[in-house]
Amino acid sequence: MKLMARSDGRSPDQLRPVTITRNWLAHAEGSVLVEFGGTKVLCAATVESGVPRWRKGSGLGWVTAEYAMLPRATNTRGDRESVRGKIGGRTHEISRLIGRSLRACVDYKALGENSIILDCDVLQADGGTRTAAITGAYVALADAVGWMRKKRMCPGDPLVDSVAAVSVGIVGTTPLLDLCYVEDVKAETDMNVVMTGRGAFVEVQGTAEGAPFDRNILDELLDLAAAGCAELTELQKTVLA
Amino acid sequence: MKLMARSDGRSPDQLRPVTITRNWLAHAEGSVLVEFGGTKVLCAATVESGVPRWRKGSGLGWVTAEYAMLPRATNTRGDRESVRGKIGGRTHEISRLIGRSLRACVDYKALGENSIILDCDVLQADGGTRTAAITGAYVALADAVGWMRKKRMCPGDPLVDSVAAVSVGIVGTTPLLDLCYVEDVKAETDMNVVMTGRGAFVEVQGTAEGAPFDRNILDELLDLAAAGCAELTELQKTVLA
Amino acid sequence: MKLMARSDGRSPDQLRPVTITRNWLAHAEGSVLVEFGGTKVLCAATVESGVPRWRKGSGLGWVTAEYAMLPRATNTRGDRESVRGKIGGRTHEISRLIGRSLRACVDYKALGENSIILDCDVLQADGGTRTAAITGAYVALADAVGWMRKKRMCPGDPLVDSVAAVSVGIVGTTPLLDLCYVEDVKAETDMNVVMTGRGAFVEVQGTAEGAPFDRNILDELLDLAAAGCAELTELQKTVLA
Amino acid sequence: MKLMARSDGRSPDQLRPVTITRNWLAHAEGSVLVEFGGTKVLCAATVESGVPRWRKGSGLGWVTAEYAMLPRATNTRGDRESVRGKIGGRTHEISRLIGRSLRACVDYKALGENSIILDCDVLQADGGTRTAAITGAYVALADAVGWMRKKRMCPGDPLVDSVAAVSVGIVGTTPLLDLCYVEDVKAETDMNVVMTGRGAFVEVQGTAEGAPFDRNILDELLDLAAAGCAELTELQKTVLA
Amino acid sequence: MKLMARSDGRSPDQLRPVTITRNWLAHAEGSVLVEFGGTKVLCAATVESGVPRWRKGSGLGWVTAEYAMLPRATNTRGDRESVRGKIGGRTHEISRLIGRSLRACVDYKALGENSIILDCDVLQADGGTRTAAITGAYVALADAVGWMRKKRMCPGDPLVDSVAAVSVGIVGTTPLLDLCYVEDVKAETDMNVVMTGRGAFVEVQGTAEGAPFDRNILDELLDLAAAGCAELTELQKTVLA
Amino acid sequence: MKLMARSDGRSPDQLRPVTITRNWLAHAEGSVLVEFGGTKVLCAATVESGVPRWRKGSGLGWVTAEYAMLPRATNTRGDRESVRGKIGGRTHEISRLIGRSLRACVDYKALGENSIILDCDVLQADGGTRTAAITGAYVALADAVGWMRKKRMCPGDPLVDSVAAVSVGIVGTTPLLDLCYVEDVKAETDMNVVMTGRGAFVEVQGTAEGAPFDRNILDELLDLAAAGCAELTELQKTVLA
């Protein structure tokens, strides 16, 4: 493993400064502004009684997510998906990923026939928007669940674990944790890893952007991600304490 | 005129606390977080060289705006327009209003064949989102123009005046300045007024939500709005100084 | 105030020839072909028992409107909104304005849980299509209400007043009533005013297309509009007698 | 063949009163209000220089059509296709039929690289809207061609023939010409026939709505349609004279 | 009638080799791969209990169809309609034709309140896709009905006849049966004919692509089509035996 | 690791019978019907000269893919995405995955400014449609490249490796290779792995559908997938020989 100087001076296994600000919004049942360096995502949790039609009468709850980017979150302005009249493939894919990830720590039965919707809107993007969104959305979800429990809306405690996520990648030949945008663009391999607070995997999505990668590299990236997720889990605990 | 206690203790002719934070975003050529009390709008100005097709070769620039609300800006969650696949009438109407309002202070010739797009995204809504958006977007526009002039992108100074906006309305029988959401809901008449820094009218949009209104009331509302806009103009000057 | 010869020889405070032909369609519960000079709008009122979902069980009725233009109503052909697959901002805005305006003269309780939809389709456009539409739609609405009352569909008389509308504007420096297309294009300021038969304001929408306007001009325009609306109200009465 | 009394007293082989009013619109290069009894269709012909992309540089012109119905053309109100965001199958089918029919009488080479668009908007529907549209659109097309020839826009005479259309059908066991709505609903077999002025077939579209039909019935219907189209051709000649 | 050598050596009144393979799919209640020469259409029949809303409570069943082409069924790739976000006019028209044709042999009462949907997807196109689809879909429909009857889902036998379809056309001056793509492109007149097993007409759709056609030609084409449909009916019987 | 009997009698590390039929379509430059047990995917490769706009003038080629399912590929009929008017998230996600996977074995420079589009249409689904699609699409791609090279369309050999894919998962506690539908539904963890012919990873997408999984399970699944991909690579070689 060759060392490479990172643009912001971090060591390869170092997260960017991460801040999670709770109750950023006045109306939402849970809301968080999460920042991974220059990446800022506003996560709002909405509680609705009732579940989608296909789940009615099951006694089980539901958790889902919608991800989007403000047009000027990025360096050059992107067209609004509302103006184009349809949601792009990337947006769909990330929304589905966030929803799946959060559902991994939810006990549907304890939630009762209620829904929680996590809106993750990227206000500013500098790499890792989906992992920041998952990490922040978990905190918003926890706050929304707290709100529900205070109102005695759910039969039990719907949170069976916590969830955090981080990106890892190979730039040059160096495995790096938590890629910022300029690193992401140069990465040969890019991997997003979602883990529970207890250290189990929820999602592993690795993609060879450049050269295909071998098993050793995959192992190194998984180690790096596991350490990063553990650190984020600690931060979530501190923030929610 | 009967006096009525306002929910937040303001006098009838008093604005809510207004804050305008410049450079809220890292990438945009101008960006502002504007707050009128609990209403928070993120205004991002994007400079693009070139103009829409119908204006090419004219030597003239263009300024336009897009307004949107995050799904959980409001008390109950609204569906995303990108998910519904089309933009609603209200969104269209306000986007057009903001664009028209800002164009009132722009000299297209001095701008040259460049475009400035103002994205106004409501992060939190508590009444007056369109007037906050116009007032904030002007500051983002001024910053974008400053950025262009530093880069010598435009042949002259495209800003010939400033623009600010405020809502006024009749609640009960009392004319009120800068309605918050609970006042807006109860208003018999609702008026949005856009004015230049020099005190001329750009837009006057008055609507009888309840009983139709007579000329006296219209006059009172216009007086109230003119004073409010003058105050906002001062604030814009201070912030941009 | 400088005098200016109008293209059709009218004095500044003169309406174009206005004709309102009732029962233009065989099927609609009320229907009117309204002509303001070369502007021809077909207004059809449809009565439906029942109200939109959000109003069910309230005991209150609803009135709404949809505005559209035939592709060759104008000088150059416009694409159909059905072909483009979405409704443009201008169409949305005018549909909403017409609906709001007509609702100002309706007693929802007396209407009972019934809906009236006003379809205003511009067959030929020569300026002032929205004001002609409102003025004609009121007559179609009155006929539809007459039809309902004959059928004893509504608990009371839902029409508490009448509604008419006219445009005014500044061309050069002259305030003009009821602008035709060539005047509208040259107008510095353009204002649409909707008033009740009793002379109160329902909507005031003034826009500085060119230079912003001061309070004196606003006052002159309102005077002109009030006189024009009064004249249209008389015509509506005559036609409905 | 059993005789059946028609609701409007016509004999089985009798057309409804047909009127064709030229120059109904001020802006279009050709325009016609065509009435087949209670069916009223506004046909507007628009001339555009240039042709669709796939035909550029061919030296050949193009003729196309768009058909639509106003929402209250019919007995109960139909939703606007612009509001639903897509064009229905029936609308598509009829638009294509009208375009194909009119192209049968056009010499593309003589038209030069110009396009003529026929907008056929049904203002009131009482059966036979597509056949009325074709019959009227031909006259609007002829007027648009006249306009072009006066302007010397086309290299030759693009009209090599005329085109008219009529519906026929079996009600009970009686073949009837030019079905009105109540007859159309009851028809076992419904056929639309488009013919040239010289008496050749352009389109034959027969559909068994009820029982399938045999060759004898098909022959009877074709005889009836041929006579009807000949009559309409005469009327077109008279109107254009 | 001049003789013309066909590209594949057939005589003018000869069908292409037709094969109908039943049970091509594992899941559908009826499924057929139908081949008319190089044209391959996969027809899947889906049985659903219940009928569309407008037919509920009538005691009557419903049969409908959807036609589509895979993007590379043709010589050059076509865009997917799902990607374009709307269904084209041709697709709509053919789907409606297939549905209408099949309904001609169905007794809705005997079907009970059940629906059968025929999906006809063109895997490879070489002319006559709609007629192959109808001919194959009938067999899939018959299998689906067999499946229902085994399950005692329908009160009677819903199939009162069979349905087959074939194209005919004039190439040069020769009437030809069952046009392949290269013939279809050259055809002056193109006709699709749908007939019942008993020899009655369900649909006759003739179009003059080039010169309009006279009654003699129409008669010749109908004779040719009737013979072709009779042959296809025999094949359907054999296959279903 | 506990052993579990598979529904089709396979051992845990056994692929379903895989068949790859080349040249299934007459028109496409490469086409394959790939079957993984009951899963049948038709893969068509289309060669187009030129590249998307954003890549023009780069000298580099492009490879992309579109995935879709016929409505009755599955046990219960799904609505067509063309009818719904938009592409679902799952479809988008899989299309993107297939495109990315195939690009991993392509040398854009050797391809020249040409595009290859892989259409993967699922005719019948029984689990593993995306992995079957990738495996089959590679063969169609190889055939299309062969076609191009024969025509001397590309400057070099664009295929630098091959690509195959397989699914693996945990059912109960047993890691299984190449899950069929009934296994997929029961899987706790589901992973799709795309590998090059040389044995490097292109994509690793693991998802905990039930309980989150630990590193040991991840390792076992990767071993299983690597063996499966190697077997598929051999089959591709045999088929292409």
Side-chain angles (χ1 to χ4, degrees):
Chain A
M1 189 175 92
K2 213 177 59 185
L3 262 168
M4 203 198 64
R6 301 183 76 167
S7 60
D8 51 6
R10 283 185 285 155
S11 64
D13 60 352
Q14 196 181 344
L15 292 171
R16 289 176 286 179
V18 176
T19 64
I20 298 177
T21 310
R22 285 165 73 193
N23 303 319
W24 208 83
L25 293 172
H27 305 305
E29 283 75 44
S31 70
V32 151
L33 183 72
V34 60
E35 296 168 82
F36 277 32
T39 289
K40 300 182 186 196
V41 186
L42 181 54
C43 307
T46 296
V47 174
E48 292 183 351
S49 73
V51 285
R53 198 176 318 173
W54 51 269
R55 214 174 169 83
K56 272 187 186 150
S58 65
L60 304 174
W62 188 240
V63 171
T64 187
E66 290 186 8
Y67 166 97
M69 251 196 213
L70 291 199
R72 199 53 204 278
T74 44
N75 215 9
T76 54
R77 187 176 182 274
D79 286 343
R80 286 174 195 270
E81 294 186 319
S82 59
V83 169
R84 270 187 278 148
K86 56 180 174 185
I87 287 179
R90 183 183 172 277
T91 298
H92 255 134
E93 203 167 316
I94 300 179
S95 293
R96 286 157 55 92
L97 170 65
I98 301 172
R100 257 187 346 252
S101 298
L102 293 173
R103 287 193 290 271
C105 67
V106 171
D107 176 347
Y108 296 134
K109 206 160 179 180
L111 184 53
E113 280 205 23
N114 299 294
S115 297
I116 304 178
I117 305 157
L118 278 304
D119 285 293
C120 300
D121 287 89
V122 180
L123 306 185
Q124 190 169 286
D126 185 21
T129 60
R130 79 190 72 187
T131 52
I134 292 167
T135 306
Y138 168 73
V139 177
L141 174 66
D143 275 336
V145 163
W147 181 90
M148 290 174 85
R149 300 211 70 191
K150 217 179 273 169
K151 296 208 137 194
R152 298 179 188 276
M153 266 183 85
C154 36
D157 183 357
L159 285 184
V160 297
D161 204 332
S162 68
V163 162
V166 79
S167 73
V168 286
I170 304 290
V171 179
T173 57
T174 319
L176 298 180
L177 179 67
D178 187 22
L179 281 59
C180 67
Y181 181 71
V182 293
E183 292 170 343
D184 190 53
V185 164
K186 287 183 296 185
E188 288 292 307
T189 297
D190 181 26
M191 186 175 288
N192 292 292
V193 177
V194 185
M195 297 184 79
T196 63
R198 291 202 191 89
F201 293 96
V202 175
E203 287 271 341
V204 174
Q205 296 200 340
T207 300
E209 305 284 353
F213 52 95
D214 65 22
R215 186 69 173 266
N216 288 341
I217 284 177
L218 179 52
D219 286 339
E220 274 189 87
L221 290 174
L222 290 169
D223 291 342
L224 208 53
C229 283
E231 213 174 316
L232 291 166
T233 296
E234 280 314 300
L235 180 65
Q236 289 172 328
K237 276 186 197 155
T238 310
V239 163
L240 282 167
Chain B
M1 190 175 94
K2 215 176 60 185
L3 262 166
M4 204 198 66
R6 301 184 76 167
S7 60
D8 50 5
R10 283 186 283 156
S11 64
D13 60 352
Q14 196 181 344
L15 292 171
R16 289 176 287 179
V18 176
T19 65
I20 299 178
T21 311
R22 285 166 72 194
N23 303 319
W24 207 82
L25 293 172
H27 305 306
E29 284 74 45
S31 69
V32 151
L33 183 72
V34 60
E35 297 168 82
F36 276 32
T39 288
K40 302 183 185 194
V41 186
L42 182 53
C43 307
T46 296
V47 174
E48 292 183 352
S49 73
V51 284
R53 199 176 317 173
W54 51 271
R55 214 173 169 83
K56 271 187 186 150
S58 65
L60 305 174
W62 188 239
V63 171
T64 187
E66 291 187 7
Y67 166 97
M69 251 196 212
L70 291 199
R72 200 53 206 279
T74 45
N75 215 10
T76 54
R77 188 178 181 274
D79 286 343
R80 286 175 194 271
E81 295 186 318
S82 59
V83 169
R84 269 188 278 149
K86 56 181 173 184
I87 286 179
R90 184 182 171 276
T91 298
H92 255 134
E93 203 168 316
I94 300 180
S95 294
R96 286 158 54 92
L97 170 66
I98 300 172
R100 256 186 348 251
S101 298
L102 293 173
R103 288 194 290 272
C105 68
V106 171
D107 176 347
Y108 296 135
K109 205 161 180 179
L111 184 55
E113 280 206 21
N114 299 296
S115 297
I116 305 179
I117 304 156
L118 277 305
D119 284 295
C120 300
D121 287 89
V122 180
L123 306 185
Q124 191 168 286
D126 185 21
T129 61
R130 78 190 72 187
T131 52
I134 291 168
T135 305
Y138 168 73
V139 177
L141 174 67
D143 275 336
V145 163
W147 181 91
M148 291 174 84
R149 300 212 70 191
K150 216 180 273 170
K151 295 208 138 194
R152 298 179 188 276
M153 266 182 85
C154 35
D157 182 358
L159 285 184
V160 299
D161 204 332
S162 68
V163 162
V166 79
S167 73
V168 286
I170 303 289
V171 178
T173 57
T174 318
L176 298 181
L177 180 67
D178 187 22
L179 281 59
C180 65
Y181 181 71
V182 293
E183 292 170 343
D184 191 52
V185 163
K186 288 183 294 185
E188 289 291 308
T189 295
D190 181 26
M191 186 175 287
N192 292 293
V193 178
V194 185
M195 298 183 79
T196 62
R198 293 202 190 90
F201 293 95
V202 175
E203 287 270 341
V204 174
Q205 296 201 340
T207 299
E209 304 285 353
F213 51 95
D214 65 22
R215 185 70 173 266
N216 288 342
I217 283 176
L218 180 53
D219 285 339
E220 273 188 88
L221 290 174
L222 289 168
D223 291 342
L224 207 54
C229 284
E231 213 174 315
L232 291 167
T233 296
E234 280 315 300
L235 180 66
Q236 288 172 330
K237 275 186 198 155
T238 309
V239 163
L240 283 168
Chain C
M1 189 176 94
K2 213 176 61 186
L3 263 167
M4 205 198 65
R6 301 183 76 167
S7 61
D8 51 6
R10 283 185 285 155
S11 64
D13 60 352
Q14 195 182 346
L15 292 171
R16 289 176 286 179
V18 176
T19 64
I20 299 178
T21 310
R22 287 166 71 192
N23 303 318
W24 207 82
L25 294 172
H27 305 306
E29 284 74 44
S31 70
V32 151
L33 182 72
V34 60
E35 296 168 82
F36 276 31
T39 289
K40 301 183 187 195
V41 186
L42 181 54
C43 307
T46 296
V47 174
E48 292 183 352
S49 72
V51 286
R53 200 176 317 174
W54 51 270
R55 213 173 170 84
K56 272 187 185 150
S58 64
L60 304 175
W62 188 240
V63 171
T64 187
E66 291 186 7
Y67 166 96
M69 249 196 215
L70 291 199
R72 198 54 204 280
T74 45
N75 215 9
T76 55
R77 187 177 181 273
D79 286 344
R80 286 174 194 270
E81 295 186 317
S82 59
V83 170
R84 271 188 278 148
K86 56 181 172 183
I87 286 180
R90 184 184 171 277
T91 298
H92 255 134
E93 205 168 315
I94 299 179
S95 293
R96 286 157 55 91
L97 170 65
I98 301 172
R100 259 190 341 256
S101 298
L102 292 174
R103 287 193 290 272
C105 68
V106 170
D107 176 346
Y108 296 135
K109 206 161 179 179
L111 184 55
E113 280 205 23
N114 300 295
S115 297
I116 304 179
I117 305 157
L118 278 304
D119 285 293
C120 300
D121 287 89
V122 180
L123 305 186
Q124 191 170 284
D126 185 22
T129 60
R130 77 189 73 186
T131 51
I134 292 167
T135 305
Y138 168 72
V139 177
L141 174 66
D143 275 336
V145 163
W147 182 91
M148 292 173 85
R149 301 210 70 192
K150 216 179 273 170
K151 295 208 137 192
R152 298 178 187 277
M153 267 183 85
C154 35
D157 183 357
L159 286 184
V160 298
D161 204 332
S162 69
V163 162
V166 80
S167 74
V168 287
I170 304 289
V171 179
T173 57
T174 317
L176 297 181
L177 179 68
D178 186 22
L179 280 61
C180 65
Y181 181 71
V182 293
E183 292 170 343
D184 190 53
V185 163
K186 288 183 294 186
E188 288 293 307
T189 297
D190 181 27
M191 184 175 289
N192 291 293
V193 177
V194 185
M195 298 183 79
T196 62
R198 292 203 190 90
F201 293 96
V202 175
E203 286 271 341
V204 175
Q205 296 201 342
T207 299
E209 305 284 352
F213 52 95
D214 64 21
R215 185 70 173 266
N216 288 341
I217 283 176
L218 180 52
D219 285 340
E220 273 189 87
L221 289 175
L222 291 169
D223 291 342
L224 208 52
C229 283
E231 213 174 316
L232 291 166
T233 297
E234 280 315 300
L235 181 65
Q236 289 172 328
K237 276 186 198 156
T238 310
V239 162
L240 282 167
Chain D
M1 190 175 93
K2 213 175 62 184
L3 263 168
M4 202 197 67
R6 302 184 76 167
S7 60
D8 50 7
R10 283 186 285 155
S11 63
D13 60 352
Q14 196 181 344
L15 292 171
R16 288 177 286 180
V18 176
T19 64
I20 299 178
T21 311
R22 288 166 70 193
N23 304 317
W24 207 81
L25 294 172
H27 304 305
E29 284 74 44
S31 69
V32 150
L33 182 72
V34 59
E35 296 167 83
F36 277 33
T39 288
K40 301 182 185 194
V41 186
L42 181 54
C43 307
T46 296
V47 174
E48 292 183 351
S49 72
V51 285
R53 198 177 319 173
W54 51 269
R55 213 173 170 85
K56 271 188 186 150
S58 64
L60 304 175
W62 188 240
V63 171
T64 188
E66 290 187 7
Y67 166 97
M69 250 196 214
L70 291 199
R72 199 52 205 280
T74 44
N75 214 11
T76 55
R77 188 178 181 272
D79 286 344
R80 287 175 193 270
E81 295 186 318
S82 58
V83 170
R84 270 188 278 149
K86 56 180 173 184
I87 286 180
R90 184 183 171 276
T91 298
H92 255 134
E93 204 168 314
I94 299 180
S95 294
R96 286 157 56 92
L97 169 66
I98 300 172
R100 259 191 339 258
S101 297
L102 292 174
R103 288 194 290 272
C105 68
V106 171
D107 176 348
Y108 296 135
K109 206 162 181 180
L111 184 55
E113 279 206 22
N114 299 295
S115 297
I116 304 179
I117 304 157
L118 277 305
D119 284 294
C120 300
D121 287 88
V122 180
L123 305 185
Q124 190 169 287
D126 185 21
T129 60
R130 78 190 71 186
T131 52
I134 291 168
T135 305
Y138 168 73
V139 177
L141 174 66
D143 275 335
V145 163
W147 182 90
M148 291 175 84
R149 301 210 70 191
K150 217 179 271 172
K151 296 208 137 193
R152 297 180 187 277
M153 268 182 84
C154 37
D157 182 357
L159 284 185
V160 299
D161 204 333
S162 68
V163 162
V166 78
S167 74
V168 286
I170 303 290
V171 179
T173 57
T174 317
L176 298 181
L177 180 67
D178 187 23
L179 280 60
C180 65
Y181 181 70
V182 292
E183 293 170 342
D184 191 52
V185 164
K186 288 183 295 186
E188 288 291 308
T189 296
D190 181 26
M191 185 175 288
N192 292 292
V193 177
V194 186
M195 298 183 79
T196 62
R198 291 201 191 92
F201 294 96
V202 174
E203 287 271 340
V204 174
Q205 296 201 341
T207 299
E209 305 284 352
F213 51 95
D214 64 21
R215 187 69 173 266
N216 287 342
I217 283 176
L218 179 53
D219 286 339
E220 273 189 88
L221 289 174
L222 290 168
D223 291 341
L224 207 53
C229 284
E231 213 174 316
L232 291 166
T233 296
E234 280 314 300
L235 180 66
Q236 288 173 328
K237 276 186 199 157
T238 310
V239 162
L240 283 167
Chain E
M1 190 176 93
K2 213 176 61 184
L3 262 167
M4 203 197 66
R6 301 183 77 166
S7 61
D8 51 6
R10 283 186 285 157
S11 63
D13 59 353
Q14 196 181 346
L15 292 171
R16 289 176 285 180
V18 176
T19 64
I20 299 178
T21 311
R22 286 166 72 192
N23 303 318
W24 208 81
L25 294 172
H27 304 306
E29 283 75 44
S31 69
V32 151
L33 183 71
V34 59
E35 296 168 83
F36 276 32
T39 289
K40 300 183 185 194
V41 186
L42 181 54
C43 308
T46 296
V47 174
E48 292 182 352
S49 72
V51 285
R53 199 176 318 173
W54 51 270
R55 214 173 169 84
K56 272 186 186 150
S58 64
L60 305 175
W62 188 239
V63 171
T64 186
E66 291 186 7
Y67 167 97
M69 249 196 214
L70 291 199
R72 199 53 204 281
T74 45
N75 215 11
T76 54
R77 187 178 182 274
D79 285 344
R80 286 174 194 271
E81 295 186 318
S82 59
V83 170
R84 271 188 278 149
K86 57 180 173 184
I87 287 179
R90 184 184 171 275
T91 298
H92 255 133
E93 204 169 314
I94 299 180
S95 293
R96 286 157 55 92
L97 170 66
I98 301 173
R100 261 194 335 259
S101 298
L102 293 173
R103 287 193 290 272
C105 68
V106 171
D107 175 347
Y108 296 135
K109 205 160 180 182
L111 185 54
E113 279 204 24
N114 299 295
S115 297
I116 303 178
I117 304 157
L118 277 305
D119 285 293
C120 300
D121 287 89
V122 180
L123 305 185
Q124 190 169 287
D126 185 21
T129 60
R130 78 189 71 187
T131 51
I134 291 167
T135 305
Y138 168 72
V139 177
L141 174 66
D143 275 336
V145 163
W147 182 91
M148 291 174 85
R149 300 210 70 191
K150 216 179 273 171
K151 296 207 137 195
R152 297 178 188 278
M153 268 182 84
C154 35
D157 183 356
L159 285 184
V160 298
D161 204 333
S162 68
V163 162
V166 79
S167 73
V168 286
I170 304 289
V171 178
T173 55
T174 317
L176 299 180
L177 179 68
D178 187 22
L179 281 60
C180 66
Y181 181 71
V182 293
E183 292 170 344
D184 190 52
V185 164
K186 289 183 295 186
E188 289 291 308
T189 296
D190 181 26
M191 186 174 288
N192 292 292
V193 177
V194 185
M195 298 184 79
T196 62
R198 293 202 190 90
F201 293 96
V202 174
E203 287 270 341
V204 174
Q205 296 201 341
T207 300
E209 304 285 352
F213 52 95
D214 63 22
R215 185 70 172 266
N216 288 341
I217 284 176
L218 180 52
D219 286 339
E220 274 189 87
L221 290 174
L222 290 169
D223 291 341
L224 208 52
C229 284
E231 214 174 317
L232 291 166
T233 297
E234 281 314 300
L235 180 65
Q236 289 173 328
K237 277 186 198 156
T238 310
V239 163
L240 283 167
Chain F
M1 189 177 94
K2 213 176 63 185
L3 262 168
M4 205 198 64
R6 301 184 76 167
S7 60
D8 51 6
R10 282 186 285 157
S11 63
D13 60 352
Q14 196 181 344
L15 292 171
R16 288 176 286 179
V18 176
T19 65
I20 299 178
T21 310
R22 286 166 71 193
N23 304 318
W24 207 82
L25 293 173
H27 305 306
E29 284 74 45
S31 69
V32 151
L33 182 73
V34 60
E35 297 168 84
F36 276 33
T39 289
K40 302 182 184 194
V41 186
L42 181 54
C43 307
T46 296
V47 174
E48 292 183 352
S49 72
V51 284
R53 200 175 316 173
W54 52 270
R55 214 174 170 85
K56 272 187 185 150
S58 65
L60 304 174
W62 188 239
V63 171
T64 187
E66 290 186 8
Y67 167 96
M69 250 196 214
L70 291 199
R72 198 53 205 279
T74 44
N75 215 10
T76 55
R77 187 178 181 272
D79 285 343
R80 287 175 193 270
E81 295 185 319
S82 59
V83 170
R84 270 188 280 149
K86 56 181 174 184
I87 286 179
R90 184 182 171 276
T91 298
H92 255 134
E93 204 167 314
I94 299 179
S95 293
R96 286 157 56 92
L97 170 66
I98 301 172
R100 258 188 346 252
S101 298
L102 293 174
R103 289 193 289 272
C105 69
V106 171
D107 176 347
Y108 296 134
K109 206 162 180 178
L111 184 54
E113 279 204 23
N114 299 295
S115 297
I116 304 179
I117 304 156
L118 278 304
D119 285 294
C120 300
D121 286 90
V122 180
L123 305 185
Q124 191 168 286
D126 185 21
T129 60
R130 77 189 72 186
T131 52
I134 292 168
T135 305
Y138 168 73
V139 177
L141 174 67
D143 275 336
V145 163
W147 182 90
M148 291 174 85
R149 301 212 68 191
K150 216 179 272 170
K151 295 207 138 194
R152 298 178 188 278
M153 268 183 85
C154 36
D157 183 358
L159 285 184
V160 299
D161 204 332
S162 68
V163 162
V166 79
S167 73
V168 285
I170 303 290
V171 178
T173 57
T174 317
L176 298 181
L177 179 67
D178 186 24
L179 280 60
C180 65
Y181 180 71
V182 292
E183 292 171 343
D184 191 52
V185 163
K186 289 183 294 186
E188 289 292 306
T189 297
D190 180 27
M191 185 174 287
N192 291 292
V193 178
V194 186
M195 298 185 78
T196 63
R198 291 202 192 89
F201 293 96
V202 175
E203 287 271 342
V204 175
Q205 296 201 340
T207 300
E209 304 285 352
F213 52 96
D214 65 21
R215 186 68 172 266
N216 288 341
I217 283 176
L218 180 53
D219 286 340
E220 274 189 88
L221 289 174
L222 289 169
D223 291 341
L224 208 53
C229 284
E231 214 174 315
L232 291 166
T233 297
E234 280 315 299
L235 180 65
Q236 288 173 328
K237 275 187 198 155
T238 310
V239 163
L240 282 167

